[in-house]
Amino acid sequence: MDLTQPNTDGISSFENLLANIILRVFVWVIACVTCFGNLFVICMRSFVVTENSQHIMAIKSLCCADGLMGIYLFFIGAFDLKFSGEYNKHAQVWMASIQCQLVGSLAMLSSEVSVLLLTYMTLEKYLCIVFPFSHYGAGKKRTLSMLVVIWLLGFSLTLVPFWCKESFGDYYGRNGVCFPLQSDETERPGARGYSTGIFLGKESSGHGA
């Protein structure tokens, strides 16, 4: 390893996990806004009386998923402070650590569940608008079942790389921020295909929603 050059993936530098001051400041700002903003919405929705309790359940679930991304950013900011000034000494150990694996899986869970929830909520509203006189109206039990299925699917997508270490390798340790959605020639074919598939799936779901 050439210690005269930054050990960088575009985000990290030789000295710091987050390469520049803008990233270091905004990771804390966005983490605070994300966590407290979603917590505020959950609290407000809990006190607002509405007839559409199913929609409120979905909104709260979405806030929980988005809040996980704020927690992820808090962890990244904290480890950036921990390694401040000497990140390159700890880079390889950090990316291979269980902490990085868990932080990366938290970000993965948040992003996947958020997209799935938005897709479900959009589809539900679409059906209610297009077929206003149908008997589709999702009841509380059906909505709760769908939310459970979405979270279980999100957990499954997140845990697959842990179950298949031979195919995925160090899936959540490819960069300093432990976020796995990337594709490069050094990745194992299984991990590269998984990342590409999830990325394309999220893009199509996001555009559809």
Side-chain angles (χ1 to χ4, degrees), residues 134-146:
S134 69
H135 298 287
Y136 168 73
K140 186 175 182 179
K141 185 176 293 186
R142 181 186 296 179
T143 300
L144 183 59
S145 298
M146 284 301 304

Side-chain angles (χ1 to χ4, degrees), residues 54 57-59 61-62 64-65 68 108-124 136 142-158:
Q54 292 79 22
M57 288 171 57
I59 290 292
S61 188
L62 179 61
C64 290
L68 292 179
M108 179 82 151
L109 176 64
S110 172
S111 60
E112 290 305 306
V113 172
S114 293
V115 170
L116 290 171
L117 283 170
L118 286 171
T119 302
Y120 164 70
M121 292 167 66
T122 302
L123 180 60
E124 183 188 23
Y136 168 73
R142 181 186 296 179
T143 300
L144 183 59
S145 298
M146 284 301 304
L147 295 181
V148 170
V149 167
I150 286 172
W151 277 95
L152 288 176
L153 180 57
F155 273 108
S156 297
L157 291 172
T158 301

Side-chain angles (χ1 to χ4, degrees), residues 66-191:
D66 290 341
L68 292 179
M69 186 60 74
I71 295 173
Y72 158 78
L73 292 174
F74 272 125
F75 276 114
I76 293 300
F79 280 105
D80 173 63
L81 290 177
K82 180 179 179 180
F83 301 136
S84 180
E86 52 181 21
Y87 172 66
N88 211 53
K89 295 180 181 179
H90 308 280
Q92 299 303 320
V93 174
W94 158 243
M95 288 188 287
S97 69
I98 186 63
Q99 293 96 324
C100 183
Q101 306 292 311
L102 293 176
V103 168
S105 61
L106 191 67
M108 179 82 151
L109 176 64
S110 172
S111 60
E112 290 305 306
V113 172
S114 293
V115 170
L116 290 171
L117 283 170
L118 286 171
T119 302
Y120 164 70
M121 292 167 66
T122 302
L123 180 60
E124 183 188 23
K125 287 300 179 184
Y126 171 79
L127 292 174
C128 289
I129 293 172
V130 175
F131 307 105
F133 302 111
S134 69
H135 298 287
Y136 168 73
K140 186 175 182 179
K141 185 176 293 186
R142 181 186 296 179
T143 300
L144 183 59
S145 298
M146 284 301 304
L147 295 181
V148 170
V149 167
I150 286 172
W151 277 95
L152 288 176
L153 180 57
F155 273 108
S156 297
L157 291 172
T158 301
L159 294 176
V160 163
F162 290 112
W163 294 333
C164 308
K165 277 287 187 179
E166 297 80 9
S167 300
F168 287 86
D170 199 11
Y171 187 69
Y172 292 106
R174 304 293 302 177
N175 55 57
V177 294
C178 312
F179 199 73
L181 293 179
Q182 59 177 339
S183 181
D184 57 59
E185 294 182 356
T186 62
E187 266 191 304
R188 297 190 183 184

